[in-house]
Amino acid sequence: MSRTFADLLPTPLEADSLSKLSPLTRADDLLLLLSRWVERGWLRALDWAFVAFLHELEPETDPLVLLAAALTSHQLGHGHVCLDLFETLKAPDFALSLPPEGDVQGGVLLLPSQLLETLDGAHWCKVLASSSLVALAADAGDTAQTRPLVLSSKRLYLRRYWTYERRIDAALRQRLMQQEPTPKDLPQRLNELFGRAESAAVIDWQKLACALATRSAFSIITGGPGTGKTTTVVRLLALLQAPAVEAGHPLRIRLAAPTGKAAARLTESISQQVQSLQVAEAVRAAIPSDVTTVHRLLGSRPGTRHFRHHAGNRLPLDVLVVDEASMIDLEMMANLLDAMPAHARLVLLGDKDQLASVEAGAVLGDLCRDAEGGWYSPQTRQWLESVSGESLQGSGLHEDRDGTHPLAQQVVMLRHSRRFGEGSGIGQLARRVNQQLADEARQLLAAGSYDDVYSLPLKGEHDHKLERLLLEGHGNGPQGYRHYLSVLRDKRPPSTRPLEHADWTDWAREVLQAFDTFQLLCAVRKGPWGVEGLNQRITAALLKARLIESDQQWYEGRPVLMTRNDYGLGLMNGDIGIALKLPEREGAEIGKTVLRVAFPRNDGQGGVRFVLPSRLNDVETVYAMTVHKSQGSEFAHTALILPDALNPVLTKELIYTGITRARDWFTLIEPRAGVFEEAVQRKVKRLSGLMLELEEGTEPQG
């Protein structure tokens, strides 16, 4: 009878014997050491269980292979697709939580860095390459296909993630080779949509993005908030659809986003943009504004990793636009590309500088490696200038003269923000953070010279200035949570009206919109400065101020966030609803109310659906939410609260994403000075090999 992971779990090893384990000679010694690392929080229990499973599979496996497997699994938990062996040896603690000072009992517990510094990278690769648990990337044999680990040069993968990467590489390589026919009158069509180039000094990047996207089956349009990604894509759709409509064969266009909230925002934005297009009515009517989630588009099958649409059942479309692509992880991108018909165009929109997905991979970031520098070939430059009338002469972009940047030929970065111009404090702060100019960002916050950026330093955990900000906002300026509760109370329809009356939907919509005027964002979940602690603190403050009637599980005014997709209810992970007292259904006693949760339908029409709380299993209170959960959303006033100590999640990408969720006002809340600067100076580096073979000009392996 085979043993379970629990049976394999070792008893705690004496600390003094752990110090004698380097260099490791036995797999059992390594398993014992890794179990202590799990106890310290340096590894996950899942990482240890994976290694124990491999050891049971191959008892004679070299400990160096098991160590590499543990670190590869650990890296996956931190969003990395693979383990770079040589990078790990250069910085052995780069992804492991460091122990508190003095927490290793005088140094008798062997640290990850102490173990790794004894290793040689070339020898480690050689040991891995000879293991029966490891397949080499170039080995396509049947036996190799069953091995759980894959070694590609100096990168070690779990097989599934290696496969995802190869599928994406192969699909994109194929698409980049497909030259799509462009209209003969493309320059004229571009001028009709954008106007003629007026000045060589001001480049119309939106026009260039549209031009570039017409000539390939794959393209990326990236840019920060307010740079016009939605405007660009609407004009691109008009550019693609007009010739098709004129020929009597309109294109089947679909629009998607990773979350319901992002889909709702894009639906609303595109609906407005399409109406202002200067095109024939038939073309305008053939441009959809309905945006779905990527999960819904693919046909998610609850309880499985599989979708209704895949390589054997492709999506019925000709053009697919995916917004907020920075939130798409490696697995989802592989599934999406599998389901794309060979003839169809794929256009990705997103901000490459935002946080990557919660799951493994930073696909948009990887694909936009060259976006900042441009790296267009002379042929691409010449073609762009000839069809657009724009000049790239003074652009300052790098030039790809040796053909080593093929992906860059289909990527355009929009560079001028219309929302956050020179007079915008939010825009200036976001730019400084993105460029990791921590001191300049601090000076901007301290100067108080912009009326859309605020700073709130706190004196300890019990400083009541925090409650005042969260409830009241900043004086006559941006508001806090009192605002939506005032709308809830003061604009409630008469209780004699039945639930079917339009006033209830209008009221619910107004409450939801009022809630969107302010949002507190957190970097972490745990502790007094995390989502869990702050949601409790805010609930207590609202109760004390008599703005809510109760702090029990369900009460009127409670805002909740969906934490998982619920296809039965039509609700998606990230959707926000608010509990409201509404009349009973028709036929019930007049004036009698029941609590229901109002969610926006995300249909672009302002629709609202009402759901009984008893039907909601995967929700949490959302006065505070993580920055990750806020992606794809926008709030009039956004407040970002940092923890009082540096945490691995604190990076310039997290700070930048938090700042750019704000539309009109941004407030930085700091329990301790210095954490902001430390975070801005740290940058996310997610390890992967995505498209590296393409950039290096070699053939894909595997």
Side-chain angles (χ1 to χ4, degrees):
M1 187 173 69
S2 65
R3 292 175 293 166
T4 65
F5 291 144
D7 296 327
L8 290 168
L9 192 63
T11 55
L13 194 68
E14 292 300 320
D16 59 354
S17 66
L18 285 172
S19 63
K20 302 169 185 174
L21 289 178
S22 182
L24 296 174
T25 56
R26 297 190 310 118
D28 287 342
D29 293 339
L30 177 66
L31 283 167
L32 290 166
L33 177 61
L34 295 182
S35 73
R36 294 300 299 273
W37 287 2
V38 172
E39 291 171 13
R40 299 282 176 175
W42 304 340
L43 284 177
R44 302 174 299 169
L46 178 65
D47 306 326
W48 186 91
F50 176 58
V51 173
F53 169 71
L54 294 181
H55 180 48
E56 187 172 88
L57 205 62
E58 295 286 345
E60 301 305 315
T61 296
D62 191 300
L64 285 177
V65 175
L66 298 180
L67 175 63
L71 295 178
T72 303
S73 176
H74 170 271
Q75 288 290 75
L76 198 60
H78 284 257
H80 301 281
V81 174
C82 58
L83 174 74
D84 187 311
L85 298 165
F86 285 85
E87 285 294 319
T88 300
L89 296 182
K90 281 184 202 169
D93 281 326
F94 71 103
L96 291 169
S97 305
L98 295 173
E101 193 172 342
D103 190 41
V104 289
Q105 303 173 6
V108 294
L109 176 59
L110 190 65
L111 297 174
S113 56
Q114 293 172 325
L115 174 57
L116 291 168
E117 68 188 9
T118 67
L119 304 183
D120 173 73
H123 175 66
W124 202 3
C125 284
K126 187 176 179 182
V127 170
L128 285 165
S130 63
S131 171
S132 61
L133 292 173
V134 181
L136 298 181
D139 188 354
D142 292 341
T143 304
Q145 297 299 315
T146 63
R147 295 179 180 181
L149 299 167
V150 179
L151 182 65
S152 175
S153 181
K154 59 179 183 171
R155 298 186 297 274
L156 185 67
Y157 295 79
L158 300 189
R159 171 163 292 283
R160 188 203 303 163
Y161 289 88
W162 160 255
T163 304
Y164 292 149
E165 220 176 62
R166 295 308 93 208
R167 279 159 53 189
I168 293 171
D169 263 24
L172 293 186
R173 184 176 288 102
Q174 181 64 38
R175 290 182 168 278
L176 289 171
M177 289 191 299
Q178 287 177 232
Q179 288 296 311
E180 297 291 324
T182 58
K184 292 180 180 178
D185 58 349
L186 180 59
Q188 179 186 334
R189 291 180 184 273
L190 283 167
N191 287 336
E192 287 172 357
L193 287 165
F194 291 92
R196 295 184 181 277
E198 295 180 4
S199 166
V202 181
I203 298 171
D204 190 337
W205 295 103
Q206 295 183 12
K207 192 176 187 181
L208 293 177
C210 280
L212 211 60
T214 63
R215 68 175 198 163
S216 172
F218 176 73
S219 55
I220 298 175
I221 301 171
T222 186
T227 52
K229 295 186 291 294
T230 307
T231 302
T232 304
V233 83
V234 168
R235 293 181 185 181
L236 171 61
L237 294 179
L239 195 62
L240 296 173
Q241 190 66 286
V245 168
E246 291 161 11
H249 302 289
L251 298 171
R252 297 168 298 171
I253 299 173
R254 296 297 304 274
L255 310 170
T259 67
K261 198 70 180 277
R265 278 189 61 205
L266 186 60
T267 296
E268 186 176 350
S269 181
I270 284 188
S271 298
Q272 295 169 354
Q273 297 274 354
V274 168
Q275 296 310 311
S276 62
L277 274 176
Q278 299 298 310
V279 294
E281 185 56 40
V283 175
R284 189 182 294 114
I287 299 174
S289 58
D290 182 37
V291 185
T292 186
T293 63
V294 176
H295 277 85
R296 275 184 177 149
L297 176 79
L298 291 176
S300 182
R301 292 177 172 175
T304 76
R305 307 181 84 99
H306 304 298
F307 295 91
R308 189 162 50 85
H309 291 288
H310 45 74
N313 180 30
R314 311 262 186 181
L315 289 161
L317 51 77
D318 302 306
V319 179
L320 175 62
V321 175
V322 181
D323 194 19
E324 297 289 354
S326 62
M327 299 167 67
I328 297 181
D329 60 81
L330 193 78
E331 180 179 2
M332 180 58 76
M333 185 60 75
N335 287 325
L336 189 63
L337 285 165
D338 283 350
M340 286 290 293
H343 76 277
R345 298 175 192 262
L346 175 62
V347 181
L348 301 182
L349 300 180
D351 185 345
K352 68 179 180 63
D353 297 314
Q354 274 191 199
L355 278 171
S357 62
V358 177
E359 303 299 329
V363 178
L364 188 70
D366 287 342
L367 299 181
C368 290
R369 288 187 185 107
D370 298 325
E372 202 87 38
W375 288 105
Y376 298 130
S377 67
Q379 294 83 359
T380 298
R381 280 190 177 224
Q382 183 181 0
W383 183 84
L384 277 173
E385 291 181 341
S386 67
V387 299
S388 70
E390 301 289 321
S391 172
L392 291 172
Q393 193 63 39
S395 64
L397 299 182
H398 297 296
E399 200 165 346
D400 178 19
R401 293 189 173 275
D402 53 8
T404 55
H405 300 268
L407 181 60
Q409 311 313 305
Q410 286 308 125
V411 178
V412 174
M413 179 175 169
L414 307 180
R415 298 163 191 267
H416 302 304
S417 177
R418 288 158 175 78
R419 187 196 309 170
F420 299 137
E422 292 301 313
S424 164
I426 295 173
Q428 295 294 337
L429 182 63
R431 278 189 277 276
R432 284 163 171 74
V433 167
N434 205 19
Q435 294 167 12
Q436 296 187 278
L437 303 173
D439 292 339
E440 291 186 24
R442 169 59 66 194
Q443 289 168 11
L444 186 150
L445 285 164
S449 52
Y450 293 96
D451 59 7
D452 59 346
V453 172
Y454 298 84
S455 175
L456 181 67
L458 298 177
K459 296 177 180 177
E461 190 177 327
H462 303 291
D463 191 331
H464 291 295
K465 290 201 299 289
L466 177 61
E467 276 84 356
R468 285 198 293 275
L469 169 73
L470 298 179
L471 269 60
E472 310 297 341
H474 291 286
N476 296 323
Q479 297 167 313
Y481 286 126
R482 180 185 290 273
H483 172 59
Y484 92 94
L485 290 166
S486 298
V487 171
L488 184 157
R489 182 186 63 245
D490 298 340
K491 300 198 175 182
R492 184 193 305 274
S495 58
T496 54
R497 290 179 184 165
L499 181 61
E500 291 72 24
H501 199 289
D503 282 359
W504 292 109
T505 299
D506 293 343
W507 172 62
R509 184 192 308 117
E510 201 167 346
V511 173
L512 287 164
Q513 289 171 347
F515 184 77
D516 269 355
T517 59
F518 176 68
Q519 183 64 58
L520 176 66
L521 304 182
C522 305
V524 296
R525 288 197 61 83
K526 305 288 185 182
W529 310 113
V531 166
E532 294 173 6
L534 285 165
N535 274 321
Q536 293 176 5
R537 181 169 175 175
I538 296 166
T539 303
L542 292 171
L543 185 66
K544 184 178 179 181
R546 298 184 178 180
L547 292 171
I548 57 175
E549 298 174 353
S550 167
D551 60 355
Q552 299 306 305
Q553 183 181 12
W554 286 105
Y555 54 85
E556 184 171 44
R558 181 193 178 196
V560 293
L561 176 80
M562 291 293 297
T563 58
R564 191 177 298 177
N565 294 339
D566 189 323
Y567 296 97
L569 294 174
L571 297 172
M572 296 289 109
N573 185 359
D575 285 354
I576 291 177
I578 296 176
L580 301 173
K581 285 182 180 176
L582 295 157
E584 285 273 28
R585 291 286 179 189
E586 191 175 356
E589 180 183 337
I590 293 177
K592 188 175 181 182
T593 61
V594 65
L595 208 61
R596 287 190 177 88
V597 184
F599 286 93
R601 286 192 179 275
N602 297 332
D603 55 4
Q605 309 297 316
V608 177
R609 61 163 55 89
F610 299 114
V611 182
L612 290 169
S614 58
R615 300 188 66 191
L616 297 171
N617 298 316
D618 301 302
V619 294
E620 62 184 23
T621 302
V622 71
Y623 294 117
M625 72 164 70
T626 61
V627 175
H628 263 109
K629 284 286 188 185
S630 74
Q631 285 184 268
S633 298
E634 180 183 275
F635 309 97
H637 178 200
T638 300
L640 173 64
I641 189 165
L642 301 180
D644 58 359
L646 199 60
N647 183 289
V649 304
L650 285 172
T651 61
K652 69 106 172 173
E653 286 85 358
L654 181 132
I655 305 292
Y656 170 83
T657 303
I659 293 169
T660 54
R661 297 312 89 206
R663 187 176 67 247
D664 302 316
W665 301 283
F666 173 76
T667 301
L668 179 70
I669 307 171
E670 299 177 274
R672 183 174 76 78
V675 173
F676 172 76
E677 284 84 351
E678 291 171 341
V680 170
Q681 288 161 2
R682 299 170 70 200
K683 184 176 181 179
V684 169
K685 183 185 179 185
R686 286 200 168 179
L687 300 175
S688 85
L690 186 62
M691 301 305 285
L692 286 183
E693 284 86 355
L694 181 65
E695 295 294 327
E696 292 161 2
T698 62
E699 288 300 312
Q701 299 166 306

